[in-house]
Amino acid sequence: MSRLINDELSSENPGSHGSAGSAASRQAPLSPEQALEHLKKCQAIAVKHAHSSFAPFMKALSHAFDLQIDAAKSNQEVAELSGIQRLFQKNRSELEEYYAGYVAEGFVKFKQKALCTELNASGGNELSIVDNLELEESLVLSGISQAVDNELAEPLWALNQRMALLNSGEPVREASNPSAPVQFCESLRKACKLIPMSIAAAKTVLNTYGEQLHAIAADVVADTNQYLSDQGLMQDLQYRKSKPKVAKRESIEGEAEALAGDGEDSSTYQSSLLDAIRGLQQTLSEMSKAPQQAFGGGAGPALNSQQLIDALQTIQLQSLGMMGVPMAGGQIAAPMNVGVMQQQLRAQLGGQGRVGDNDLHAIDLVGRVFEYMLRDGNLPDSVKAALSYLHTPFLKLAFIDPGFFENPDHPARVLLNNLAEAGIRWIGNDGTIQHNMLEKIRETVDRLLNEFTNDVKVITSILLDFNAYTKNIVRRQELMEKRAAEKAQGEEKLREVKHRVNKEVMTRTEDKDLPSSVLLFLLQPWFDYLSFCMLRYGDDSEQWSGALSLVDDLLWAVDVKSNNNDIQIQKELIYRLQSEMQAGFDVIGYDADKGEKLIESITDILRAAIAQKAPEPEPEPVREEAEKVIAEKKSAAPLLEPDHVSDEEQRVIDGLKQIEFGTWFEFEGGRRLKVAWYNARTMHYMLVNQVGKKEAMLTGLELARKMIAKTANIVSGSSKPFFERALEDIYNNMSGAASTDVEHI
């Protein structure tokens, strides 16, 4: 089973060196000969460890099955598990060879630049559908490999840089590194396909392997790094940790960078927004004709931060009882009233002193963030109400940790972003709540109100807990959406093919008065064979051309001929057509009896044409079936809408062509669906619900008409995180207010 790297070198030139800033760019890529030599050594290291680690894995697996058998609740379960255990022992040697072979094969694919192992995705552009077993395996293995990747972050990073030198300088990541943990996970999964297993048994196998993977991966990565370093590949390579970004690893979205404000561009942009807002706050304060009302009285010393924090702590605890009991659909009775909270703060401060200008600006800014939240059309009302109770702890945080505003990666900002995104994603205004998400959001808010006093680490703990809750949901949902999209793509491709075949056949037959048997042949079995040829081989293939040629030959041959040469050709065609028709029937598995009768009937028609006679009348059932099939084919919906499209509809359709996968729509009643995939050629949009299940397939025109009629609208028009959207809104509103005040001076 093991595949070793071919010694024969590719004639292609090495690729580019990659980005100038990459570690690999500091050392020139190796020649093809050198790269091949090192790659073979790396392959040998990986295969050696695959073999040496297999016996301990099998021993641990046997023990795991023993424990499961002891805990079994029925004789049937005992028999099933014992049978699987015996199969593993019986096929042990073959499993080991396959396992090591797939590990070796990863290096072959790496050399061919074809290695890209994504555990949560199916391969390439094939129209494969992830079944339940594959789904569960992907969930288990992706979690296992990610955990090991995290533990081996430094040596894996170094190995990726060194492997880039063997890859013509092109960047290498874990999915394309044949020595990475994910490759060993995938190799084991492929090898275990030899053993038929239930989902429960497969989980036992994979979880047992996961317990062994860290030691296997650590040895492989360390030995491979050592070998490459000893050969002079980046001997002085040093691992540099970037500043920690809480959200990037724990974000609930696949596009974590946008959600968490990750990336230098977003961080710089938000920082400039904040500076501009503070400048506007100062300007508006100076331009105000009346002094701003002081929270703690008009005179006296400025209150210190601790006095403000103590007052807010009292209000925070009071707000615990204000959240109330959810109404029907999970809706909270009412959001927190910021104005009332500010009155409570004034009462708490009493006559102790006045609030300084900077603290007033912090109170104002936090208030504006939560005012934007209550206006945000993306957020369902129930989520707005729950999140509004975070106002007090966030205001307190502004006094405890002034850097909160400046840092887009601050745990509190990331938590608010993720809570808002979860609300948009899994809660609808129609009362639908997926994965018990509203209760989880309320629980998170309640926990923050209870536990947060002055230690920011509490917020980090709450953030990690919330993200752990959502992470598995996201992974499962992404796989469900991918499965639904793949299925839709397959159906759409089949629809396009059938439309093309229907057009080819109907164009050739619509002006002809053909016998019913010929029509049935063309519109049923041969229609399916033409569809098969296009799907499998394409419309530029010999198979497709041959299948269409048979249609043309048959339609030519059924007509009575007067020319002797034509009659001779008719006679020759009878035997060829019989043979080709039978070959096509065999390919598509057409019913043998029906096929024999059709060929016999068409042969009789051809012989009648040769004899220059009209064919015998066909049985009534045959004629009725032919008429029914013709009506169905003629009424088959075209790929593009036949209706007249108005200018307004066309304008909306043109806009829909620009939307991205993942765009949310809200329909009548508050139901929210997401565009998981669409066909740019046919303008068919697949919409999934909040758990990733397909709900509808709409044409662009249907969607446009719903938008024009106001029964559907785009919910999420921005991939930016909530806090960034809030800062933009605050800046725009304050800019408008400043302009108005200037005009009145």
Side-chain angles (χ1 to χ4, degrees):
M1 173 62 198
S2 295
R3 291 186 61 189
L4 299 178
I5 298 173
N6 195 334
D7 288 323
E8 184 178 327
L9 294 169
S10 171
S11 61
E12 297 177 359
N13 293 327
S16 64
H17 291 194
S19 61
S22 68
S25 68
R26 295 196 294 268
Q27 183 171 336
L30 306 177
S31 68
E33 293 84 358
Q34 292 174 314
L36 180 63
E37 183 66 26
H38 292 319
L39 202 55
K40 289 169 67 176
K41 295 289 187 182
C42 295
Q43 183 189 51
I45 292 170
V47 171
K48 174 187 172 184
H49 282 290
H51 280 297
S52 64
S53 63
F54 199 77
F57 162 64
M58 289 297 294
K59 182 178 179 181
L61 180 60
S62 181
H63 178 65
F65 276 128
D66 285 340
L67 293 178
Q68 266 200 310
I69 290 169
D70 291 341
K73 297 180 181 178
S74 66
N75 291 334
Q76 181 181 355
E77 190 177 353
V78 169
E80 180 184 344
L81 290 170
S82 299
I84 295 172
Q85 187 181 40
R86 284 195 298 273
L87 284 174
F88 268 95
Q89 292 300 330
K90 180 181 178 181
N91 296 280
R92 176 173 179 164
S93 297
E94 190 175 5
L95 284 166
E96 181 176 342
E97 286 304 315
Y98 269 78
Y99 171 56
Y102 284 123
V103 169
E105 188 178 42
F107 288 83
V108 178
K109 291 182 177 179
F110 177 83
K111 176 179 175 288
Q112 298 168 345
K113 300 187 185 300
L115 182 64
C116 184
T117 303
E118 302 284 0
L119 286 173
N120 63 340
S122 56
N125 295 318
E126 298 175 5
L127 299 174
S128 59
I129 296 176
V130 182
D131 61 24
N132 289 334
L133 177 59
E134 291 178 68
L135 174 65
E136 295 297 337
E137 288 177 342
S138 295
L139 290 171
V140 173
L141 287 179
S142 60
I144 290 170
S145 64
Q146 184 180 30
V148 176
D149 286 350
N150 293 344
E151 293 168 356
L152 301 178
E154 179 175 349
L156 262 177
W157 175 85
L159 185 57
N160 286 342
Q161 308 310 307
R162 292 184 171 112
M163 292 298 290
L165 297 178
L166 309 185
N167 195 37
S168 306
E170 295 179 15
V172 171
R173 57 191 182 92
E174 283 79 356
S176 57
N177 186 339
S179 297
V182 67
Q183 313 299 343
F184 284 79
C185 288
E186 184 65 9
S187 296
L188 183 83
R189 171 159 71 171
K190 288 180 178 179
C192 287
K193 289 186 182 296
L194 291 172
I195 309 295
M197 288 183 285
S198 64
I199 291 178
K203 284 185 174 180
T204 299
V205 173
L206 299 181
N207 283 321
T208 303
Y209 181 74
E211 295 169 2
Q212 314 287 316
L213 181 61
H214 182 275
I216 300 169
D219 289 343
V220 171
V221 172
D223 288 356
T224 308
N225 264 325
Q226 187 62 52
Y227 165 75
L228 293 174
S229 178
D230 290 345
Q231 299 303 309
L233 276 68
M234 296 186 175
Q235 293 174 308
D236 301 324
L237 189 61
Q238 293 184 353
Y239 180 63
R240 295 182 181 178
K241 290 185 178 180
S242 59
K243 67 175 183 177
K245 294 182 182 293
V246 177
K248 187 168 185 179
R249 190 175 299 276
E250 299 295 334
S251 170
I252 67 166
E253 286 286 358
E255 300 82 6
E257 292 184 358
L259 175 61
D262 202 20
E264 293 184 4
D265 290 344
S266 177
S267 178
T268 303
Y269 172 62
Q270 292 185 59
S271 178
S272 64
L273 272 177
L274 189 60
D275 289 342
I277 288 170
R278 284 179 168 154
L280 286 168
Q281 282 181 317
Q282 187 64 35
T283 301
L284 289 170
S285 296
E286 293 171 355
M287 291 171 59
S288 177
K289 299 196 182 292
Q292 193 167 0
Q293 184 179 3
F295 278 83
L303 297 166
N304 60 42
S305 296
Q306 191 57 50
Q307 290 173 297
L308 292 168
I309 292 167
D310 291 342
L312 287 167
Q313 178 63 24
T314 302
I315 298 171
Q316 178 178 314
L317 294 175
Q318 291 173 352
S319 63
L320 275 170
M322 295 168 58
M323 288 185 69
V325 180
M327 298 164 60
Q331 174 67 53
I332 296 173
M336 179 178 180
N337 189 316
V338 175
V340 170
M341 188 284 301
Q342 290 183 346
Q343 291 176 5
Q344 290 175 320
L345 180 58
R346 290 189 183 94
Q348 285 289 329
L349 294 173
Q352 298 177 47
R354 61 181 177 81
V355 178
D357 289 344
N358 289 338
D359 291 336
L360 280 173
H361 290 165
I363 294 170
D364 175 61
L365 185 52
V366 173
R368 288 177 183 271
V369 168
F370 282 84
E371 285 173 5
Y372 166 75
M373 174 188 289
L374 296 177
R375 298 194 313 272
D376 188 358
N378 294 338
L379 282 171
D381 294 339
S382 57
V383 177
K384 293 178 185 178
L387 297 186
S388 68
Y389 287 86
L390 290 176
H391 177 277
T392 304
F394 269 68
L395 179 54
K396 187 171 67 174
L397 177 65
F399 297 130
I400 294 172
D401 184 5
F404 155 68
F405 285 118
E406 278 75 12
N407 183 9
D409 299 320
H410 193 286
R413 285 181 58 166
V414 175
L415 177 63
L416 189 58
N417 289 339
N418 289 3
L419 287 167
E421 286 298 325
I424 293 171
R425 188 167 187 170
W426 290 302
I427 301 172
N429 275 324
D430 61 345
T432 56
I433 302 170
Q434 307 297 340
H435 309 296
N436 216 19
M437 188 53 67
L438 183 57
E439 181 178 333
K440 183 63 180 178
I441 290 174
R442 283 176 49 83
E443 175 190 310
T444 302
V445 173
D446 187 74
R447 184 180 166 191
L448 192 62
L449 293 172
N450 262 310
E451 299 179 17
F452 177 54
T453 52
N454 57 9
D455 187 358
V456 180
K457 290 181 180 177
V458 169
I459 299 177
T460 302
S461 174
I462 294 172
L463 168 65
L464 295 176
D465 176 70
F466 182 76
N467 286 346
Y469 181 81
T470 58
K471 188 163 62 174
N472 285 333
I473 294 174
V474 170
R475 191 182 298 122
R476 182 180 295 270
Q477 181 167 329
E478 286 175 348
L479 286 171
M480 287 187 65
E481 287 182 13
K482 187 170 187 65
R483 177 169 55 180
E486 287 176 337
K487 185 177 180 182
Q489 289 175 49
E491 292 170 347
E492 193 72 2
K493 185 172 182 179
L494 182 59
R495 185 174 185 272
E496 290 184 60
V497 165
K498 287 188 172 182
H499 173 76
R500 169 72 183 278
V501 172
N502 192 41
K503 182 179 178 182
E504 295 285 353
V505 174
M506 296 303 290
T507 300
R508 287 168 167 78
T509 60
E510 59 186 357
D511 295 329
K512 295 181 179 291
D513 183 16
L514 296 170
S516 298
S517 294
V518 174
L519 285 171
L520 278 177
F521 166 75
L522 294 176
L523 297 175
Q524 285 187 330
W526 209 249
F527 188 99
D528 293 340
Y529 180 65
L530 283 165
S531 300
F532 169 82
C533 288
M534 175 168 278
L535 278 171
R536 175 65 65 87
Y537 305 110
D539 59 0
D540 57 351
S541 64
E542 292 181 6
Q543 290 85 349
W544 167 255
S545 300
L548 270 183
S549 294
L550 183 141
V551 175
D552 294 330
D553 291 342
L554 176 59
L555 294 177
W556 178 86
V558 295
D559 290 336
V560 174
K561 309 298 179 186
S562 57
N563 184 289
N564 288 334
N565 288 334
D566 289 345
I567 293 172
Q568 183 59 37
I569 294 173
Q570 279 180 308
K571 292 178 181 179
E572 294 171 358
L573 273 176
I574 285 181
Y575 302 104
R576 181 166 68 80
L577 291 175
Q578 286 176 334
S579 174
E580 290 182 3
M581 285 190 286
Q582 186 60 55
F585 291 169
D586 292 342
V587 169
I588 63 173
Y590 190 61
D591 184 89
D593 291 337
K594 289 183 178 180
E596 184 179 347
K597 289 178 182 178
L598 260 181
I599 292 174
E600 184 180 333
S601 179
I602 290 172
T603 301
D604 290 341
I605 292 168
L606 291 175
R607 284 176 177 155
I610 292 170
Q612 299 188 335
K613 296 179 181 179
E616 293 292 327
E618 296 182 280
E620 184 66 24
V622 175
R623 292 200 303 273
E624 289 179 356
E625 187 176 357
E627 291 172 0
K628 180 181 177 182
V629 172
I630 292 170
E632 289 175 355
K633 297 300 182 184
K634 284 185 176 180
S635 63
L639 291 178
L640 299 177
E641 291 286 345
D643 313 45
H644 293 294
V645 179
S646 68
D647 291 342
E648 184 180 12
E649 289 168 347
Q650 188 60 54
R651 179 181 57 78
V652 179
I653 290 173
D654 290 342
L656 288 172
K657 292 177 181 178
Q658 309 302 320
I659 67 172
E660 299 177 352
F661 292 174
T663 299
W664 285 94
F665 281 84
E666 184 167 283
F667 294 85
E668 272 187 306
R671 185 174 62 132
R672 290 188 174 185
L673 301 176
K674 182 174 73 172
V675 176
W677 174 82
Y678 66 86
N679 188 329
R681 294 186 302 278
T682 63
M683 290 294 289
H684 281 84
Y685 291 77
M686 188 189 78
L687 302 173
V688 298
N689 61 20
Q690 291 163 314
V691 294
K693 182 180 178 182
K694 177 184 173 182
E695 285 280 331
M697 180 73 84
L698 298 179
T699 65
L701 183 57
E702 288 172 332
L703 201 49
R705 286 174 175 169
K706 289 181 181 294
M707 293 176 70
I708 292 170
K710 307 297 184 185
T711 58
N713 63 279
I714 294 177
V715 174
S716 182
S718 172
S719 61
K720 294 179 180 179
F722 166 80
F723 215 94
E724 184 172 338
R725 298 199 309 268
L727 291 178
E728 286 180 341
D729 180 83
I730 292 167
Y731 172 74
N732 291 332
N733 287 337
M734 293 183 72
S735 296
S739 299
T740 303
D741 286 348
V742 168
E743 290 175 1
H744 290 151
I745 293 177

